[in-house]
Amino acid sequence: MVKSYLKYEHSNSFGLVASSTSNIVWTQQNRSSTGAGQAVVAANEELVCWDIKTGDVVERWKDEKCSAQVTAIAESKINEDLFAAGYEDGSIRLWRSKDPSPFVTFNGHRSAITNLAFDRSGVRLASGSRDTNVIIWDLVAEVGQFKLRGHKDQITGLQFVEPQQEATEGEDPQAMVLDGDDASSEGFLLTTGKDALIKLWDLGSRHCIETHIAQTNGECWALGLSPDYSGCITAGNAGEMKVWVLDVASLAASRQQVDVPANMQYLRDRGTLFRNGKDKATEVVFHPRRDFFAVHGSEKSVEIWRIRNEAEIKKSLARKKKRRREKLAQKKGEANGDAQPDGEEDPEEDVGSADITEAFAQHLVIRTGGKVKSVDWADIHGKKMLQLVVSATNNQLEMYSMPLKEKSKKSKQDDVPDYERALSIEIPGHRADIRSLALSSDDKWLASASNGSLKIWSMLTQKCGKTLECGYALCCAFLPGDRLVVIGTKSGEIELFEVATGTLLDSVSAHDGAIWSLQIHPDGRSIVSGSADKSAKFWNVKVVQEEVLGTTRTTSRLKLAHARTLEVSDDILSLKFSPDARLLAVALLDSTVKVFFVDSLKLYLNLYGHKLPVLDMDISYDSKLIVTCSADKNIRIWGLDFGDCHKALLAHQDSILQVKFLPNNREGNGHHFFSASKDRTIKYWDGDKFEQIQRLDGHHGEIWALAISQSSEPPFIVSASHDKSIRVWEETDEQIFLEEEREKEIEELYESTLTKSLEQDLDADEEDGEIGAATKQTSETLNHGERIAEALELGIADLHVMKEWEEAKAANPNIAPPQRDLTFMAHGGISAEEYVMKMLQKPAASALNDALLVLPFASVPMLFTFLNIFAMRLMNIPLTCRILFFMLKTHHRQIVGSRTMRAMLDGIRANLRRALQRQKDEMGYNIAALKIAGMQIQDKGVKEYVDENWDDGTNGQNVKKRTFVDVS
């Protein structure tokens, strides 16, 4: 009989505020003027919306089918409930507020998305990727319009430029009316790449109209576009920022011109600014309403720059001019009065030609709590200050407030405005990697320890209950009773904390080296610590009476008392008591494991075999097996009776950091164990059969710590990783069989290699030209394509059968119906065309084109036969037209060259025109009827009594009426 196992599945994750893989987006969805708004951030594969003021999670968006990390986020400018997220695998998903699943998924890029931008109307999305391509997506039709090629390295900046032509005074009023919806008004796109180029693309004609070198000293890493499209700033290495002026008026006018001069330049280099920080700039963000922009690199600071207005620039130029005159006068030794007339003869300097440093002034530098990953302006209406949301790489969000520069101050020395850290979200996560996890005996509390902090989490709510300051923790454990937590630090100290009050009860300088392992004796009365100083020390927890200073009274305190020491030949990396408390296993830096008797500390067994040091080990519930894991990627299973190696398994692709047996023998799984590795996977093993049961994927960094529940039902495991997340994996009722798991893994491998080979073929075909089709084959589109091809073959065969039966029925009316394919019967006896239509409707709109590309050209005549039937019977005309036009565009040459296909197309054209004319007539009739109904309602409901001679005096009042001036 085949043995079955119960499957473990990911249930939830917590401990992560914001990943350092993506930008952040500030949004004010609640519309309240008092709140600080919300921040939409990436949390590995999830999108999380935080309320900045309360520090609570408002929403989580996660696609169960996608495990790739989020790498870019954008918010629609029109619909504030609509967000686009780009992922590491090149996919893009659109999310709506209050909707837990994505409503559109786009696949077109080969690698991680780096930039996303919505256009002004919110109907198009531009995406840039590490594969050097830019794709424009149509959000209404849910398809990729086209792909722009031109950059030689990853896209680092992407912005829509959609200028609106303004008619100047004196123009003909007819010329002022522009048709905003024509094809030529698709706007422009500005892109920058790591190849140090800045490109301006015309989206109407779909080609690049300008290319400039954006940075002189290497790569270009950031692009910021001013809200009024008047200019942009590119930033790169060594603190260099280049300012560009964009000729918006000429761009808008060029839409209406047929012959644009060849030497016309819309983008002009205006000069170079230098930041304080000399690292590479990663982001330039303009304030949406005020003349400020923020720029930052990967350091712990954000620089705020202010754009001066024309009056300030003139004032600065006049001041400099005056100084020059004074210096000139001093040199010549002339009096000020004589030098004055010469200065006045100088032509007045033009603001436009002034040095770029005159136009930009550094406002202030914000020092942040961690290295900055991304920033966004919090544009809260009604607030007379600037607010900036900062996402740091150390897993925290901060909001800074800074005043606008006071214009009334006329002091000669510039006072730098102060800023304050107004709000932060840092409690729900650690600043550094979690190095150790420990579950309480009732599995209700989880302790996680990292460099500088120990956090106690409720496993019921996944919320942080306590945060305690500690040293650089490497290991931790709950003492019996779950009221105390003990940790071992890198500096060799053992710290004892009380959970309820959060107080440090005792701190002992236990070792001269780092304490790598800490174990509680099975009876709960003592602790053993293993350190890099080549010793293991035993400690008893005792209640000691201590004198209160200055009095004769005493108070009782818990203390750690040193009992005995075990000296070994090398650094101790791991310790483990056997559950029967008879043996103590010690793993050393020399790659051996030594097993001692606990009572006498005499050597019992030496376990040799690993090529690199053993990093962790565990002993089974019955004290019969010991499993060791090492940096040599191997797991070894040993017997504790003779110390013989039962099996050596090459378990992971990288060092194995943790291994844990299931603590109790429930349903015979006492010899099953879990292993966690630097290769980001957790594996579930059968220690008796030496086989892998299951692989758990989900983490995006090396897995440092693992903890297994003691008594709860269903059992669960908790893992903590370098990606800052803590994940819970629960046992389910679903059974898994080893053969099926192996088959699934082979299928996944085959599908990934198949789609990769298809992509390589497509890349080879499309290398030339700066425009291409936005297509990407996935396993899903391949499956849909195969199903459509099968449906077409079945359908054509069925059409022939039915045609023969109808011919025979004309001669013999009593003939029995033919034997049709069982597939049609299974779908309720539907006709062939209905079945084909059903198959064509199954793929999502975004995947349909890719699915149709799978069809060989031999299937096209069959498809056209059905398209003709759809047109005749008025079956889903929009889909019919879309498929027809796509196939005509794809196979244009072959179709034109085929005589039979041309005849077929004539029939389709006639039927389609008839169908479209009928729909047009219906719509026209309905619109006319609605207009009449509206007029009738207006006549019945509204009575207008107007006196022609009445003057309400509004014309006169309009002149005198006081109005509010919008200062911003």
Side-chain angles (χ1 to χ4, degrees):
M1 184 178 158
V2 179
K3 187 175 180 182
S4 67
Y5 303 87
L6 291 177
K7 190 175 187 178
Y8 277 80
E9 280 187 352
H10 177 246
S11 65
N12 49 42
S13 56
F14 54 96
L16 184 58
V17 178
S19 294
S20 58
T21 54
S22 164
N23 62 314
I24 61 167
V25 170
W26 178 88
T27 179
Q28 189 172 13
Q29 289 182 336
N30 52 8
R31 299 285 175 207
S32 64
S33 57
T34 54
Q38 297 167 357
V40 179
V41 302
N44 290 331
E45 72 276 12
E46 293 181 317
L47 268 184
V48 178
C49 184
W50 291 95
D51 188 312
I52 299 170
K53 194 164 190 178
T54 61
D56 295 329
V57 175
V58 181
E59 272 189 275
R60 280 183 187 271
W61 294 301
K62 183 187 175 185
D63 188 355
E64 296 298 332
K65 298 173 192 168
C66 176
S67 60
Q69 283 181 295
V70 177
T71 54
I73 309 169
E75 182 188 21
S76 172
K77 292 169 186 173
I78 295 292
N79 180 5
E80 291 185 351
D81 286 345
L82 179 63
F83 294 91
Y87 292 79
E88 204 172 26
D89 60 359
S91 62
I92 299 165
R93 285 169 179 76
L94 293 181
W95 302 88
R96 280 199 198 99
S97 185
K98 307 289 185 285
D99 186 357
S101 56
F103 68 96
V104 183
T105 302
F106 292 128
N107 282 296
H109 289 286
R110 310 277 185 261
S111 53
I113 307 293
T114 53
N115 289 88
L116 289 171
F118 281 94
D119 73 344
R120 190 170 52 210
S121 57
V123 296
R124 285 179 303 168
L125 177 72
S127 60
S129 166
R130 280 193 192 150
D131 64 7
T132 76
N133 295 330
V134 175
I135 295 181
I136 308 295
W137 305 93
D138 184 341
L139 304 185
V140 178
E142 297 181 7
V143 291
Q145 289 184 329
F146 50 89
K147 183 188 288 179
L148 299 171
R149 294 194 209 90
H151 285 284
K152 302 296 179 200
D153 211 328
Q154 75 175 56
I155 308 297
T156 55
L158 191 71
Q159 294 287 350
F160 275 99
V161 181
E162 297 169 283
Q164 291 177 320
Q165 191 169 359
E166 295 176 9
T168 54
E169 288 180 21
E171 276 191 347
D172 179 22
Q174 292 298 318
M176 292 165 67
V177 181
L178 290 172
D179 184 8
D181 297 328
D182 64 341
S184 63
S185 67
E186 290 192 18
F188 302 87
L189 190 72
L190 203 58
T191 60
T192 55
K194 193 181 161 190
D195 55 5
L197 296 180
I198 180 167
K199 285 177 175 282
L200 184 62
W201 305 82
D202 186 341
L203 299 180
S205 58
R206 300 183 182 181
H207 75 290
C208 178
I209 53 177
E210 261 185 60
T211 303
H212 299 273
I213 294 172
Q215 300 300 126
T216 54
N217 58 354
E219 300 104 346
C220 173
W221 285 102
L223 168 71
L225 181 68
S226 65
D228 59 354
Y229 305 132
S230 60
C232 64
I233 292 175
T234 57
N237 296 334
E240 182 186 88
M241 295 190 294
K242 205 172 258 193
V243 182
W244 302 83
V245 174
L246 197 57
D247 193 347
V248 186
S250 302
L251 264 182
S254 70
R255 294 175 181 169
Q256 312 302 321
Q257 296 171 0
V258 179
D259 49 342
V260 180
N263 59 353
M264 185 72 186
Q265 279 205 343
Y266 303 110
L267 203 60
R268 285 185 298 107
D269 183 0
R270 187 68 183 76
T272 306
L273 298 170
F274 287 94
R275 299 191 299 120
N276 282 356
K278 295 301 172 198
D279 59 330
K280 71 174 186 189
T282 51
E283 214 174 21
V284 177
V285 186
F286 276 83
H287 195 285
R289 290 187 302 122
R290 302 187 189 277
D291 291 332
F292 290 90
F293 69 87
V295 58
H296 69 86
S298 53
E299 293 179 342
K300 293 185 177 182
S301 65
V302 181
E303 293 179 30
I304 311 296
W305 289 69
R306 188 168 64 87
I307 306 164
R308 289 176 171 162
N309 57 32
E310 204 167 314
E312 285 180 294
I313 297 171
K314 279 182 180 173
K315 195 175 174 184
S316 174
L317 288 173
R319 199 184 303 128
K320 286 196 172 180
K321 200 173 180 182
K322 189 180 173 185
R323 280 185 200 149
R324 277 204 305 272
R325 277 206 306 267
E326 286 172 1
K327 279 185 182 177
L328 200 66
Q330 281 175 5
K331 277 183 183 177
K332 290 181 177 178
E334 293 173 3
N336 284 340
D338 298 335
Q340 188 70 24
D342 297 338
E344 283 175 358
E345 288 170 13
D346 293 343
E348 191 172 321
E349 285 194 56
D350 180 26
V351 174
S353 61
D355 189 51
I356 195 65
T357 51
E358 303 290 342
F360 294 90
Q362 196 172 53
H363 189 52
L364 55 85
V365 178
I366 296 173
R367 303 289 173 195
T368 57
K371 289 185 178 177
V372 182
K373 169 57 191 170
S374 177
V375 301
D376 198 16
W377 291 101
D379 186 22
I380 302 169
H381 290 273
K383 293 243 178 174
K384 299 294 181 190
M385 53 172 53
L386 297 170
Q387 291 195 299
L388 190 73
V389 183
V390 179
S391 158
T393 55
N394 63 349
N395 196 25
Q396 66 176 343
L397 280 174
E398 299 171 310
M399 182 182 252
Y400 290 92
S401 296
M402 63 211 96
L404 296 162
K405 198 156 192 178
E406 300 285 336
K407 290 185 179 173
S408 58
K409 284 185 183 177
K410 292 187 178 176
S411 57
K412 287 187 179 176
Q413 63 184 99
D414 290 328
D415 294 329
V416 178
D418 292 322
Y419 63 89
E420 61 169 346
R421 181 180 169 189
L423 298 161
S424 68
I425 302 173
E426 53 188 358
I427 290 171
H430 282 273
R431 302 287 76 76
D433 286 7
I434 296 168
R435 298 304 298 266
S436 179
L437 291 173
L439 279 162
S440 61
S441 58
D442 58 2
D443 298 326
K444 286 182 180 176
W445 299 97
L446 173 76
S448 61
S450 71
N451 179 7
S453 67
L454 169 72
K455 286 182 182 283
I456 310 296
W457 306 82
S458 164
M459 289 306 294
L460 194 65
T461 60
Q462 278 85 45
K463 287 192 175 176
C464 179
K466 278 270 189 304
T467 301
L468 317 173
E469 281 189 20
C470 64
Y472 194 142
L474 295 174
C475 47
C476 71
F478 274 97
L479 288 177
D482 301 331
R483 291 181 183 178
L484 305 175
V485 175
V486 61
I487 67 162
T489 67
K490 200 172 183 179
S491 56
E493 292 182 345
I494 297 176
E495 296 178 355
L496 188 65
F497 289 95
E498 188 175 14
V499 175
T501 59
T503 53
L504 176 65
L505 296 179
D506 195 13
S507 178
V508 182
S509 294
H511 294 272
D512 297 330
I515 299 173
W516 289 109
S517 187
L518 202 65
Q519 284 292 317
I520 310 292
H521 192 281
D523 66 5
R525 291 178 184 172
S526 64
I527 303 166
V528 65
S529 59
S531 165
D533 66 358
K534 304 179 184 178
S535 69
K537 292 185 178 180
F538 293 79
W539 308 83
N540 295 327
V541 183
K542 290 185 176 178
V543 178
V544 180
Q545 298 294 325
E546 274 194 354
E547 283 188 16
V548 179
L549 288 173
T551 64
T552 53
R553 289 184 294 111
T554 59
T555 179
S556 53
R557 273 192 65 184
L558 276 170
K559 281 270 195 186
L560 290 171
H562 180 224
R564 51 185 178 154
T565 305
L566 169 67
E567 299 283 347
V568 287
S569 59
D570 215 330
D571 294 15
I572 295 175
L573 298 181
S574 181
L575 291 163
K576 194 70 191 177
F577 279 110
S578 62
D580 61 5
R582 198 171 64 93
L583 303 171
L584 174 68
V586 181
L588 305 181
L589 192 63
D590 62 5
S591 308
T592 63
V593 175
K594 297 186 186 299
V595 184
F596 297 90
F597 289 105
V598 173
D599 49 4
S600 63
L601 294 185
K602 286 188 175 176
L603 183 66
Y604 170 51
L605 292 171
N606 260 324
L607 307 180
Y608 298 101
H610 283 291
K611 297 180 181 66
L612 289 169
V614 173
L615 301 176
D616 196 27
M617 56 191 175
D618 202 11
I619 298 174
S620 63
Y621 76 102
D622 54 6
S623 305
K624 288 183 178 175
L625 292 181
I626 179 169
V627 61
T628 58
C629 66
S630 162
D632 62 9
K633 309 174 192 175
N634 282 309
I635 286 176
R636 284 179 179 263
I637 301 163
W638 318 74
L640 267 180
D641 42 7
F642 303 109
D644 55 324
C645 180
H646 291 183
K647 188 73 174 175
L649 302 163
L650 180 60
H652 288 268
Q653 307 296 316
D654 209 333
S655 303
I656 305 166
L657 301 174
Q658 293 279 309
V659 64
K660 291 276 185 291
F661 269 108
L662 288 171
N664 39 36
N665 190 28
R666 196 178 63 92
E667 297 174 8
N669 61 3
H671 285 176
H672 296 178
F673 62 90
F674 288 91
S675 63
S677 163
K678 274 189 177 180
D679 68 3
R680 307 176 180 187
T681 61
I682 299 169
K683 291 188 177 179
Y684 184 25
W685 303 86
D686 186 333
D688 292 327
K689 292 192 170 183
F690 317 124
E691 283 188 326
Q692 179 189 322
I693 301 166
Q694 193 187 349
R695 190 182 75 205
L696 303 173
D697 296 305
H699 278 294
H700 299 280
E702 51 262 36
I703 300 163
W704 291 114
L706 205 62
I708 300 187
S709 64
Q710 304 287 324
S711 55
S712 63
E713 286 290 330
F716 62 87
I717 63 168
V718 186
S719 57
S721 162
H722 174 64
D723 63 16
K724 304 281 196 303
S725 69
I726 302 170
R727 289 174 190 258
V728 182
W729 314 79
E730 279 186 356
E731 188 182 84
T732 61
D733 295 332
E734 187 183 341
Q735 289 188 329
I736 51 173
F737 299 92
L738 300 183
E739 290 295 319
E740 287 179 10
E741 286 296 302
R742 300 292 164 275
E743 282 173 18
K744 273 184 197 171
E745 284 178 17
I746 292 166
E747 274 176 27
E748 283 172 16
L749 192 66
Y750 169 70
E751 282 178 0
S752 64
T753 51
L754 181 66
T755 49
K756 274 179 190 170
S757 63
L758 280 168
E759 283 169 19
Q760 285 165 359
D761 295 344
L762 280 167
D763 287 344
D765 294 343
E766 296 179 354
E767 272 189 357
D768 51 339
E770 63 178 20
I771 188 151
T775 60
K776 183 189 178 185
Q777 289 297 350
T778 61
S779 56
E780 186 188 0
T781 57
L782 288 173
N783 290 337
H784 282 308
E786 286 168 6
R787 285 188 200 127
I788 291 168
E790 284 172 16
L792 288 172
E793 285 172 11
L794 281 174
I796 286 291
D798 191 68
L799 284 180
H800 288 315
V801 169
M802 295 304 287
K803 191 180 176 184
E804 285 170 8
W805 176 69
E806 280 168 7
E807 286 171 359
K809 194 179 178 186
N812 179 12
N814 297 324
I815 193 168
Q819 183 67 41
R820 297 177 70 202
D821 193 282
L822 291 173
T823 313
F824 301 111
M825 299 298 110
H827 284 81
I830 59 174
S831 63
E833 56 270 22
E834 285 174 321
Y835 177 66
V836 172
M837 176 54 84
K838 209 172 186 180
M839 287 296 127
L840 288 169
Q841 284 172 333
K842 272 195 175 177
S846 54
L848 179 61
N849 290 359
D850 293 333
L852 291 171
L853 283 174
V854 177
L855 297 179
F857 184 69
S859 301
V860 175
M862 292 190 273
L863 180 60
F864 276 34
T865 305
F866 281 104
L867 290 176
N868 196 15
I869 296 169
F870 298 155
M872 278 186 342
R873 300 197 180 175
L874 303 176
M875 293 169 69
N876 200 338
I877 294 298
L879 182 66
T880 304
C881 290
R882 194 178 147 198
I883 293 168
L884 174 65
F885 298 148
F886 179 75
M887 296 310 282
L888 283 174
K889 194 166 72 174
T890 309
H891 302 290
H892 183 259
R893 287 180 189 170
Q894 294 94 321
I895 291 169
V896 170
S898 167
R899 196 174 294 169
T900 53
M901 294 286 284
R902 273 187 289 176
M904 198 183 284
L905 277 174
D906 284 334
I908 294 174
R909 182 174 62 177
N911 287 326
L912 261 186
R913 278 191 174 169
R914 202 178 304 120
L916 290 170
Q917 187 60 46
R918 184 178 167 183
Q919 288 200 343
K920 191 178 171 185
D921 292 344
E922 267 181 25
M923 287 166 75
Y925 183 85
N926 289 340
I927 289 167
L930 285 169
K931 279 182 182 174
I932 291 165
M935 285 159 64
Q936 287 173 347
I937 291 165
Q938 195 173 8
D939 287 345
K940 285 179 185 175
V942 180
K943 299 295 181 197
E944 292 181 351
Y945 298 101
V946 180
D947 187 348
E948 289 178 3
N949 301 321
W950 173 258
D951 179 19
D952 59 357
T954 51
N955 293 335
Q957 282 180 11
N958 275 345
V959 181
K960 296 174 185 174
K961 191 180 283 186
R962 293 171 66 185
T963 56
F964 291 104
V965 178
D966 188 3
V967 180
S968 63

